[in-house]
Amino acid sequence: MRYEEFIEGLKKKERYIQYEVYRIFKNAIKYGVTYAKDSYQEVFTEIIPEVPIKVDEGREERTDLVVFSRQFGNLEPKLIIETKQRVFQQPGKSLAAYSRKVKNYAERLNVWYYAIYDGYYWFLFSRVDPLLLVKVLAIKVGETLDESFAKDVMMAVAEISYTNERRYFKELDRYSIPDMEFIERKILPSLAKSFKPAEWKELVIKWKENAL
C-alpha cells in the first residue's frame, strides 16, 4: 500500500476537515480574539463540536461546530461551521441542499451567521436579507487554513454584527478565490434558486458584486 496516497485521500474526508477547523479555531481563541468598538466588546470564548439541535418533535441532529462569544456578559452562539467533503458532480445543487439544512440549524440556535467549508471553499452566510451569501473564500485545508484566517473570520463576523464599518471584513479579501468563473457558473445559480427562486438572477448579480 502507498500510504502517501492513502493519507492524502483521508485528508479530503469530512471528518478530517472538521477536526482541522476545530483545532485551528480552538488555537486562535486560546490566544485571544476580541472585537471592541466604542463601549461594545465581544470576546470569543469557545468552539464546541457536535452541538445537538432539536429539529422536530422527538428528533435531534448535531451541527459540526459552533463558535461562542460573550457580549455584554452574555455567552451566546455566534457562528455555525459545517464541514463537508468537496463535491465535483453538481457542486451547486449539493451546496444549495446543504445550505438549507444549516440555515435551519442557525434558525434553531438563533445564530445570524453560518459557514460551510469543504476543505477548499469557505462560504459565509447570513440567515437574513439582503444578501444571504456574505463571502466566498478560497482556503485550503493543511495550507492556508490557519489561526490567522480563523481570527480574521471571527473579527469580521463580530464587526458586521455591530457596525456598518468593514475594516476587518475587508481583511477577508486576501483569501479571494482564483477560479471565479467556476463559482459564478457552477455554484451561484443553484444556490440563488434555493433561496429565492423568483429572483435568483438578481441575487446572483448582487453576490458577484459583494461576495466574490
Side-chain angles (χ1 to χ4, degrees):
M1 176 183 286
R2 291 180 57 85
Y3 280 103
E4 293 85 358
E5 294 177 4
F6 177 69
I7 290 172
E8 284 305 308
L10 291 177
K11 286 183 177 180
K12 297 176 182 177
K13 300 293 185 181
E14 180 180 329
R15 183 65 66 182
Y16 178 83
I17 296 169
Q18 179 181 341
Y19 171 78
E20 281 295 282
V21 173
Y22 171 79
R23 180 180 67 83
I24 285 165
F25 272 73
K26 187 77 171 177
N27 286 342
I29 290 169
K30 176 183 177 182
Y31 292 116
V33 181
T34 299
Y35 172 80
K37 173 71 176 177
D38 302 325
S39 61
Y40 178 79
Q41 186 179 79
E42 183 169 354
V43 181
F44 289 85
T45 59
E46 291 281 357
I47 180 169
I48 303 295
E50 301 296 322
V51 174
I53 297 175
K54 191 174 183 180
V55 292
D56 290 311
E57 191 64 37
R59 191 167 71 90
E60 187 177 272
E61 294 182 6
R62 293 178 182 272
T63 186
D64 290 344
L65 300 162
V66 179
V67 177
F68 288 81
S69 69
R70 192 174 293 278
Q71 311 150 51
F72 301 111
N74 298 317
L75 185 64
E76 301 284 349
K78 185 69 178 185
L79 173 68
I80 291 175
I81 304 172
E82 283 289 310
T83 57
K84 64 191 293 287
Q85 188 169 339
R86 193 174 181 189
V87 173
F88 293 94
Q89 295 293 327
Q90 297 185 317
K93 290 183 178 180
S94 173
L95 180 65
Y98 210 70
S99 67
R100 288 193 295 270
K101 182 180 78 169
V102 186
K103 184 174 185 287
N104 183 49
Y105 290 168
E107 290 168 349
R108 298 282 178 170
L109 280 181
N110 195 28
V111 176
W112 293 107
Y113 297 97
Y114 60 97
I116 297 174
Y117 178 55
D118 65 3
Y120 188 80
Y121 292 116
W122 181 283
F123 297 88
L124 178 62
F125 296 88
S126 168
R127 68 180 175 91
V128 294
D129 279 340
L131 289 179
L132 300 170
L133 177 63
V134 179
K135 203 73 175 171
V136 183
L137 310 171
I139 297 294
K140 193 170 183 179
V141 66
E143 295 183 17
T144 49
L145 178 67
D146 58 17
E147 286 80 3
S148 294
F149 170 74
K151 183 175 182 179
D152 286 343
V153 167
M154 288 184 277
M155 293 293 284
V157 168
E159 179 183 56
I160 62 179
S161 300
Y162 178 72
T163 178
N164 289 326
E165 290 185 2
R166 291 295 181 264
R167 173 189 166 193
Y168 292 106
F169 189 76
K170 283 190 173 297
E171 292 292 320
L172 298 179
D173 288 343
R174 72 178 78 176
Y175 309 106
S176 60
I177 53 177
D179 44 355
M180 195 84 70
E181 185 180 354
F182 172 80
I183 295 294
E184 291 179 355
R185 292 177 59 248
K186 299 292 187 180
I187 301 291
L188 296 189
S190 296
L191 198 57
K193 288 173 185 177
S194 74
F195 281 125
K196 292 187 175 182
E199 305 170 38
W200 72 270
K201 291 183 180 179
E202 292 84 352
L203 194 54
V204 166
I205 291 172
K206 289 180 181 178
W207 286 348
K208 287 181 181 179
E209 293 173 350
N210 297 280
L212 302 184

